[in-house]
Amino acid sequence: MPGFKGRDLIELVDYTPEEVLFFIETGLDFKRRFYSGERVVRVLDGRVIALVFEKPSTRTRVSFEVAARQLGAESIYLGWGELQLARGETLADTARVLSRYVDGVVARVREHWKLVELAKHATVPVINGLSDISHPVQALGDMMTVLEKKGRLRGVKLVFVGDGSDNVLNSLLVAGAKLGLHIVVSSPRQLRPNEELLKHSLEVAEETGATIEFIEDPYEAVRGADIVYTDVWVSMGQEALREERVRLLKPYQVNQRLMEAAGGKALFMHCLPAMRGEEVVDEVIDGPQSIVWDQAENRLHIQKAVLALLIP
Ligand code: CP
Ligand code: NVA
């Protein structure tokens, strides 16, 4: 499919349903090639990708760095505090300079506007590696996992249980709407998704046949679920809200009772890192319905798709 090279990936809002599906098909193709012995596919020979991270990361950092190598490219990890950014150089100037050295930038930021600012001034693609608002590369990997496990995306009932204002949820809504899923959000009513992304998702859903529902009671919400998905109750940067979040979200813990209410076909997903004993218990995350390790692995293959398609 033409038309990907040189583009940023700040939100999946900027991609058509066909393009979102193409990312996923490309990820599945890279995975198949990897397991048939083609570990390195040199489509980005000689390229260099910079990772500019303002927050910690295990999966996003390592999967992008390994993905770059498996495409014949190299990566440079740049902690925010080690750059002149920390001493007041502007994001615009940083973007201009990095663009003279590297072929693409993956950025993880505390505030989403910083991604937008980087992308505005960079002349190479800028990829969202998580912000306070969204995590599109996670959602792409997750949709790849759903397709792999369930054999379809259209009509799959994915129930997100927990923090309704979660950044990963925001991206799952956009991706799910584009791909025709039935997404149910089960959360206390005061924790709502990002308004703009929800509005876009609801509009897209009208065209694709996807559905988005809000059901406060988690036991009612998960009935007949194909996927039960959760994320941490306290995201990075929200530590001050911990006490209130734990109080609000206790009834939304994914435990054996909730998985039983979901029924036998429900698979458990979590973007990780998990806070065991809070949003999920050991018996579920380590249990037979959990697919979290395959889900984490797929980040690697989808990252290859994202880099191979976007980096010129
Ligand atoms: N899921 C995810 O993005 O994990 P990291 O924070 O470890 O990158
Ligand atoms: N919602 C979590 C996701 C981590 C990958 C956070 O932002 O901390």
Side-chain angles (χ1 to χ4, degrees):
M1 190 181 276
F4 280 90
K5 289 282 182 201
R7 284 169 73 181
D8 299 317
L9 173 44
I10 305 297
E11 294 293 7
L12 292 171
V13 166
D14 304 322
Y15 287 83
T16 65
E18 293 74 25
E19 288 171 336
V20 171
L21 185 61
F22 193 68
F23 275 121
I24 291 160
E25 285 168 349
T26 307
L28 285 167
D29 194 47
F30 273 119
K31 187 171 185 177
R32 275 190 292 270
R33 289 168 80 169
F34 182 85
Y35 282 106
S36 56
E38 223 184 327
R39 291 177 67 96
V40 180
V41 181
R42 298 194 169 276
V43 290
L44 292 183
D45 219 358
R47 313 300 201 286
V48 180
I49 311 299
L51 278 75
V52 179
F53 277 38
E54 200 183 9
K55 296 181 192 177
S57 169
T58 298
R59 281 142 289 268
T60 306
R61 174 183 178 172
V62 178
S63 61
F64 267 111
E65 294 213 52
V66 175
R69 279 160 187 67
Q70 292 185 1
L71 296 171
E74 288 178 55
S75 61
I76 306 175
Y77 180 82
L78 301 164
W80 205 265
E82 298 155 37
L83 293 169
Q84 294 288 8
L85 267 175
R87 294 182 52 251
E89 187 168 19
T90 66
L91 282 160
D93 291 350
T94 305
R96 291 180 183 112
V97 171
L98 286 178
S99 299
R100 299 294 179 104
Y101 298 136
V102 302
D103 302 285
V105 175
V106 180
R108 169 167 287 199
V109 296
R110 293 210 180 106
E111 294 93 13
H112 191 82
W113 65 264
K114 292 173 179 167
L115 276 174
V116 177
E117 180 73 0
L118 277 172
K120 186 171 158 201
H121 298 281
T123 53
V124 298
V126 174
I127 296 163
N128 179 352
L130 180 144
S131 74
D132 52 338
I133 292 179
S134 57
H135 198 1
V137 291
Q138 176 73 50
L140 285 176
D142 293 344
M143 291 297 151
M144 171 177 161
T145 305
V146 172
L147 180 55
E148 194 177 50
K149 298 286 178 187
K150 292 283 176 186
R152 69 194 166 98
L153 287 166
R154 199 155 287 283
V156 165
K157 179 173 177 178
L158 185 153
V159 185
F160 184 96
V161 180
D163 174 11
S165 67
D166 187 69
N167 45 6
V168 172
L169 169 62
N170 286 328
S171 292
L172 288 172
L173 285 169
V174 179
K178 304 227 170 194
L179 297 166
L181 276 78
H182 174 197
I183 306 242
V184 180
V185 180
S186 186
S187 169
R189 69 186 60 184
Q190 50 274 68
L191 297 175
R192 295 278 295 177
N194 175 272
E195 245 175 72
E196 226 175 287
L197 294 180
L198 176 61
K199 184 167 170 275
H200 174 85
S201 304
L202 288 167
E203 283 165 10
V204 170
E206 296 242 323
E207 288 160 31
T208 62
T211 45
I212 297 172
E213 252 188 300
F214 288 84
I215 301 177
E216 229 175 302
D217 176 358
Y219 286 85
E220 186 191 334
V222 298
R223 218 176 290 141
D226 293 296
I227 307 285
V228 175
Y229 197 119
T230 193
D231 189 9
V232 289
W233 290 345
V234 185
S235 283
M236 289 181 275
Q238 301 183 329
E239 289 72 18
L241 302 173
R242 162 161 286 280
E243 214 174 305
E244 186 201 348
R245 283 295 170 81
V246 171
R247 182 181 56 77
L248 269 175
L249 288 165
K250 250 197 181 126
Y252 293 85
Q253 182 184 69
V254 181
N255 50 35
Q256 283 152 304
R257 223 179 106 227
L258 191 69
M259 288 308 286
E260 270 163 37
K265 70 171 177 180
L267 298 176
F268 173 73
M269 293 179 76
H270 190 312
C271 59
L272 305 177
M275 293 298 129
R276 289 165 177 258
E278 289 194 3
E279 76 277 3
V280 64
V281 300
D282 291 341
E283 289 79 357
V284 171
I285 195 168
D286 297 328
Q289 285 159 292
S290 171
I291 55 169
V292 299
W293 315 120
D294 291 335
Q295 179 186 1
E297 177 186 337
N298 283 343
R299 293 292 305 280
L300 168 62
H301 306 293
I302 203 71
Q303 254 60 285
K304 282 184 275 186
V306 166
L307 293 177
L309 288 171
L310 301 182
I311 304 301

